């Protein structure tokens, strides 16, 4: 099933390729200040922790390799968001669980030059439909910092419903941050 490309009215979602490195690095560098308050960070681990040595971020090539491996294993599906020939963001449906849960979560980022134009909502709708129809998921979550009003609107416009608050849920911008949890259920799965 992987790789797969998802087509929307104004966007295309496709897996990252090695040749996307320059475009990805350029968009990320241009949007560093815009994205930093919402970006996941790695908490500092004690030096004697078994995970201490693996704390660094992967290179672009390592990231692409890891994303493809995770998708082929059915654990996570990550797509670059394209508007024509412009890379405008990235969306990932991760934490895919099968069995009795049949759930996942979605995370995304968007280039500030393309924010508030409906592209992120379109991407969320495409990935949600993919998760429900092609993977057979029952429940998908979007967890958002309460201060991120734009992201809360994306979840709501994509049909997600506020379920509640999660205290100190994710390590974001250097600290454990509270999040609002938005959920959408697949009514076709009994």
């Amino acid at each position: 099933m992987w790789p797969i490309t998802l087509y929307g009215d104004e966007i295309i979602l496709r897996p990252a390729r090695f040749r996307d490195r320059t475009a990805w690095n350029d968009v990320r560098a241009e949007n560093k200040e815009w994205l930093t308050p919402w970006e996941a960070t790695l908490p500092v681990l004690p030096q004697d922790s078994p995970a201490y040595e693996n704390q660094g971020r992967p290179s672009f090539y390592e990231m692409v390799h890891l994303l493809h491996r995770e998708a082929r294993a059915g654990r996570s599906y990550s797509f670059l968001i394209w508007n024509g020939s412009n890379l405008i963001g990235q969306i990932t449906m991760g934490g895919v669980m099968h069995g009795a849960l049949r759930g996942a979560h979605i995370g995304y980022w968007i280039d500030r030059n393309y924010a508030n134009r409906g592209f992120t909502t379109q991407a969320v709708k495409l990935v949600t439909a993919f998760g429900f129809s092609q993977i057979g998921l029952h429940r998908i979550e979007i967890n958002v910092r309460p201060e991120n009003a734009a992201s809360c609107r994306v979840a709501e416009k994509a049909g997600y419903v506020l379920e509640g608050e999660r205290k100190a849920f994710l390590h974001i911008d250097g600290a454990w941050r509270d999040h609002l949890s938005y959920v959408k259920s697949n009514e076709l799965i009994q």
Side-chain angles (χ1 to χ4, degrees):
M1 173 165 99
W2 191 259
I4 187 169
T5 300
L6 306 177
Y7 297 90
D9 293 335
E10 300 173 277
I11 59 171
I12 294 174
L13 306 182
R14 69 162 173 74
R17 300 179 292 204
F18 292 140
R19 64 179 166 227
D20 297 325
R21 178 179 174 257
T22 299
W24 193 87
N25 284 337
D26 288 350
V27 172
R28 295 291 301 182
E30 183 181 327
N31 287 274
K32 184 176 170 92
E33 186 177 307
W34 160 262
L35 296 173
T36 296
W38 320 116
E39 290 275 286
T41 49
L42 299 173
V44 176
L45 297 174
Q47 288 187 4
D48 60 349
S49 167
Y52 179 75
E53 290 185 25
N54 297 326
Q55 277 193 270
R57 291 203 180 263
S59 70
F60 180 81
Y61 297 113
E62 291 168 333
M63 179 189 76
V64 170
H65 178 73
L66 175 65
L67 293 175
H68 285 282
R69 186 176 73 220
E70 290 297 295
R72 285 190 301 272
R75 292 185 292 255
S76 181
Y77 301 91
S78 188
F79 301 91
L80 298 183
I81 306 169
W82 296 86
N83 174 245
S85 61
N86 298 310
L87 173 61
I88 65 170
Q90 187 170 354
I91 185 166
T92 301
M93 183 172 61
V96 176
M97 299 292 292
H98 297 281
L101 176 61
R102 299 207 69 78
H105 56 80
I106 291 177
Y108 45 80
W109 61 265
I110 191 80
D111 179 333
R112 80 173 130 221
N113 299 307
Y114 294 86
N116 299 312
R117 293 171 54 184
F119 296 127
T120 310
T121 302
Q122 289 179 50
V124 169
K125 287 179 177 181
L126 286 170
V127 170
T128 300
F130 168 71
F132 286 164
S133 67
Q134 295 188 39
I135 301 175
L137 298 178
H138 165 66
R139 172 188 169 92
I140 302 175
E141 294 183 9
I142 299 174
N143 295 291
V144 180
R145 288 189 53 195
E147 304 87 355
N148 192 341
S151 228
C152 292
R153 283 192 308 275
V154 165
E156 291 165 356
K157 288 190 295 184
Y160 283 70
V161 176
L162 179 62
E163 187 174 71
E165 186 174 334
R166 293 184 168 186
K167 295 287 189 188
F169 181 62
L170 290 172
H171 202 269
I172 303 288
D173 192 24
W176 293 103
R177 309 287 183 173
D178 295 347
H179 280 67
L180 298 176
S181 186
Y182 290 86
V183 175
K184 188 165 188 176
S185 296
N186 184 351
E187 303 303 325
L188 299 176
I189 302 272
Q190 297 293 323

